[in-house]
Each structure stands twice: as C-alpha cells, then as structure tokens.
Amino acid sequence: MEQEEKEPFQLIDGICWSSEWSFESLRYALEYEPSPDDLFIVTYPRSGTTWMQNIVYNLQTNGQPFDADREHFFAQNPALEIDGEIGIELMQRPAAIKTHLPMDRVPYHPLAKYICVIRNPKDVCISYYLLYNSWGDVPKFEFNQFFQYFIDGRLPFNDYFDVLRSAWQRRNDKNVLLVSYEEMRTDLRSMICKIANFIDIALNDELLEKVLKYSSFDYMKNKYDAERRLFEKNIIDNIEDKEAAAQRREIFMNESGIKVVRKGEINDWKSFMTPEQSRQIYDRFMATCKECEGLENYWLKWNIF
Ligand code: A3P
C-alpha cells in the first residue's frame, strides 16, 4: 500500500489517518470481506453515528438499552477501521459495523446492508471541531485552522463532501438506506419504523416506545459518555503489558473532555461560523450537487443557508 507523509495526518491508501489509531486496523478495514448478513453504519464523523448505533442495537435486542450491558453494546458495534480484526471477531451477528470510510471504499457484498446517515456539513464541521480538540493525541487547532482542513478534506476520515457524494449516489440501491440527522431529529418515530423495516425487525408498539426512550437525546446524554468511559477504562485495566497500559491510560486521561453526545441541535453552526466560511461550505455543497441528482433539495429542506 502507498504511504505518503502529510502533516499532521498521513494519507494511507487514500484515507487520511491519524497516528493515534493503528495502521493495521485501517488496512484490515479496507480489505475486509463482508458476510451476507453484515450490516454497516456508514457516516462521516459527527453525523449521528452513535445515535444510529443505539437505534439499531435497541431494535436488534428487543429494546435493550446500551447501559443494560455495556460490554455487549460495544462488542456489537465495532468501528471497522479502528477496532480492526479483533472488533469483528468479538461481534456476534446480528450486529452493526460502524465505518467512516466513503461508501465507495466500504467493503461491499450484494447481500450485506448499509445504513448511511448524512448531516448538514456546517453542523458536522462544528461538532467535529469540538470533538477533535478533545482527542488526546492530535495537534490542537483553532477553529479557523480546523475549518481549513475541513474544507480541504484533509482531516482524519477524509473529505466530508466525498463521503456525502458516495452515499447519496447509492441511496436508491436495494441494500442501502440513507437517512439524515435532521429527519431523525424532527421525526424519530418514522425513522425508527423505516430502519426496523430495512433490517427486517418486526416492530410493535411496545418495542417502538422502548427504542424511542432509549435513543432519545436526554437518555443518551445522561448515560452514553459515562458508559463509554467505563468501558474504555475496563479495557485499559486489563492490558497486561505495563508500558502499553500506561500509554493508553495517559491518552484516556487526556480525553476526559470527550462528549460524543453533546448538544444535538440543528443549525448550531450559526453561533460559530463566519459568513465567508458558511459561503465556502455552500460552494462545496453546490459543487457536490452537480454529481448528485436531487441533493440540493436536502439543503433547501433544512434551510442550511
Ligand atoms: P452535536 O455535537 O452537534 O451535539 P457521531 O455519533 O457521528 O459522532 O455524532 C455525534 C452528534 O450526534 C453530536 O452532535 C451528538 O450530540 C449527536 N447525538 C448523539 N445522540 C443523539 C441523540 N440521541 N439525539 C440527537 N442528537 C444526538
């Protein structure tokens, strides 16, 4: 595989990558051969991935919340390019494999299923910026600097617009379901029905109410990040190699500010972005629309101006 040096991230076989994560896992992800019963959740970071994972998990477990058995929840939701082979081996199908690879790089099987979640690029950029700066082992950026990396597509997990384009172009495939964060935020009930139908889960009123409750913003805000921290701490406590454990513990301590579930609003970008930055995103979005029939309606519907 080609490897080019590029500061502060590296381009590994066309994927922009941080040295915080293993190269082997990324390689495993790119070469992974899916099973017919695999389900993928395909997103750009900060588009509602964790929320979708929760909804799918609730549906697959007849309404079990993630905090009822955190080990099980995280085992059932591996991140393909971060967890690599071990993540896939620990998972027991039916499960959901999370990936931030662009759809045209996600391992394909005609019988596997793919749920893509898209979100307004301006909100994604802000949310990613806040998350990025709470990662323990990356150079810190001011917002303007981060924005430039975002608009150039030079952040870990590549170019937002490429991920958007490649998902949109596949949205009518039989084994693809594309939903937006904004639809989930405004009509979660209908989205849950759509998702259940797509993954062949028989939904009754009782299950629907449980999924609504356990994937609600308030429920997740109260519990998700605390559960995630406990899960990570447990892994570190069980690393036998003392040096490796100390390294992981240091990163873990530096990442205490991470909030995967943060504010959960539509159009939160307005308090951060300058008109010029907003216009640059608009231009990139409209350029992407040229390759994606109907995509401009997404922008118009959610009034992203
Ligand atoms: P904000 O930072 O705008 O609040 P991902 O899981 O892809 O990293 O996405 C994270 C974004 O989804 C964050 O957005 C987070 O708050 C939001 N989110 C997570 N769970 C949510 C929920 N149950 N309802 C609404 N938004 C949620």
Side-chain angles (χ1 to χ4, degrees), residues 45-51 119 127 181 185 215-217 220 260-264:
R46 308 311 282 160
S47 300
T49 327
T50 318
W51 193 9
R119 187 182 189 189
S127 181
Y181 177 92
R185 200 65 181 110
S215 63
S216 69
F217 181 76
M220 289 184 59
V260 173
V261 184
R262 189 187 62 98
K263 204 167 172 187

Side-chain angles (χ1 to χ4, degrees), residues 51-281:
W51 193 9
M52 182 58 77
Q53 288 177 303
N54 268 286
I55 294 171
V56 168
Y57 180 78
N58 291 162
L59 288 168
Q60 288 172 335
T61 57
N62 197 26
Q64 179 170 299
F66 57 88
D67 54 307
D69 183 349
R70 89 174 75 88
E71 304 293 328
H72 185 246
F73 172 80
F74 286 104
Q76 292 299 86
N77 285 280
L80 183 59
E81 51 286 21
I82 306 277
D83 298 330
E85 190 169 7
I86 292 176
I88 298 296
E89 277 175 0
L90 287 176
M91 167 188 98
Q92 289 184 337
R93 297 172 178 87
I97 303 169
K98 153 182 157 175
T99 176
H100 293 318
L101 294 173
M103 237 342 232
D104 41 22
R105 301 294 304 275
V106 177
Y108 187 73
H109 189 292
L111 296 177
K113 292 186 179 179
Y114 300 82
I115 299 178
C116 305
V117 188
I118 61 169
R119 187 182 189 189
N120 162 7
K122 299 183 190 177
D123 284 339
V124 166
C125 178
I126 301 302
S127 181
Y128 196 4
Y129 165 68
L130 295 170
L131 179 81
Y132 174 91
N133 272 339
S134 56
W135 280 341
D137 205 17
V138 289
K140 297 290 175 270
F141 290 148
E142 297 295 331
F143 179 67
N144 289 347
Q145 211 180 357
F146 182 88
F147 180 86
Q148 203 52 53
Y149 277 94
F150 181 83
I151 204 80
D152 293 343
R154 285 159 57 216
L155 288 173
F157 304 110
N158 289 29
D159 184 13
Y160 165 92
F161 297 95
D162 194 33
V163 174
L164 174 69
R165 176 196 54 73
S166 60
W168 188 267
Q169 288 174 340
R170 297 275 293 281
R171 75 194 186 288
N172 294 326
D173 291 4
K174 215 167 63 199
N175 59 345
V176 173
L177 175 69
L178 183 136
V179 301
S180 71
Y181 177 92
E182 291 76 16
E183 288 172 293
M184 288 165 70
R185 200 65 181 110
T186 47
D187 190 359
L188 186 55
R189 190 176 286 269
S190 304
M191 284 303 115
I192 292 170
C193 296
K194 220 176 190 177
I195 295 159
N197 185 45
F198 180 69
I199 58 174
D200 299 321
I201 303 276
L203 194 58
N204 55 38
D205 287 348
E206 193 188 342
L207 178 55
L208 177 58
E209 289 312 314
K210 281 187 186 165
V211 182
L212 278 167
K213 177 176 173 188
Y214 298 136
S215 63
S216 69
F217 181 76
D218 288 345
Y219 193 89
M220 289 184 59
K221 178 82 188 162
N222 282 337
K223 301 198 173 196
Y224 182 81
D225 280 294
E227 291 294 323
R228 182 184 56 73
R229 292 274 301 164
L230 285 171
F231 174 74
E232 285 170 10
K233 183 176 176 306
N234 198 23
I235 290 180
I236 295 168
D237 288 347
N238 286 311
I239 297 176
E240 281 172 18
D241 178 334
K242 283 198 175 121
E243 205 175 312
Q247 260 176 14
R248 286 282 299 270
R249 194 162 289 116
E250 194 183 332
I251 296 176
F252 177 76
M253 296 311 285
N254 288 339
E255 293 189 334
S256 60
I258 287 186
K259 286 191 179 67
V260 173
V261 184
R262 189 187 62 98
K263 204 167 172 187
E265 285 184 2
I266 296 175
N267 281 339
D268 186 38
W269 61 272
K270 291 187 176 173
S271 46
F272 282 82
M273 233 171 241
T274 64
E276 169 56 19
Q277 289 168 335
S278 167
R279 192 194 56 74
Q280 285 185 51
I281 289 198

